[in-house]
Amino acid sequence: MKRDPAVLVLTGPPGQLRTTVTVENTADRQLAVRAAALHGLGEVAVPTGVGAVIPAGATVAVPVSFSVDPATSPGEYAAELEVGGVRRAAVVRVESHLAMRVSPRRVLAGPGRQDIELEVTNEGNVDVTVAALSRARTDDGGPDPGPDVSLVLDEAVVATAASTVSVTGHVEVPDLDPTRRHTARIPVGLADLDVIILPRTASESPS
């Protein structure tokens, strides 16, 4: 299907939708374009700043970019782009944005089971399932990986786009060489939880 070349196309993730608009100055003096607005994605127009000065009688390609609601789902949306007081038909193609963080990002743990509470923030525009069980090999700085550390959540959760969810569960750490520091990076959805197991004295070692 051919698209009308007069229709502007904006593409990118929600935080960086971009296009270039051709602006013709038919006046006999220079024209300063300071702002633009995107209509149609939400109840309120989305403004953005533009810095372009167009000489009299000239035509200039003006780049514009917008940040819309971070939860805007990937897809194609009909809209209008207003530049210099003139509206033009536009199509907004929102791309997937995958980003997640977990808090705390690092935890100390010892051999055995340790309860844990985490906040998982989905900063993207796609729902992400956080598995109830995740594992990662331990690393003591040597050439070979060690046994797994496990993160066991009470249940799998879905972190919806642009939201934060609290999860509870526990970390399971196997018996390890007590004279070495071990680390493990466990996947939590799209983020990572760093587990640090410090060396122990004899009195701290399991009996």
Side-chain angles (χ1 to χ4, degrees), residues 6 21 25 38 67 81 103 105 128 142 144 162:
V21 183
N25 181 7
L38 182 63
S67 294
L81 179 59
S103 179
R105 192 165 66 88
V128 176
D144 300 318

Side-chain angles (χ1 to χ4, degrees), residues 9 16 39 55 70 78-79 131 134 147-148 160 164 166 191 195-196 206:
V9 179
Q16 200 171 50
H39 302 266
S134 300
D148 288 347
T160 57
T164 297
S166 297
V195 179
I196 302 171

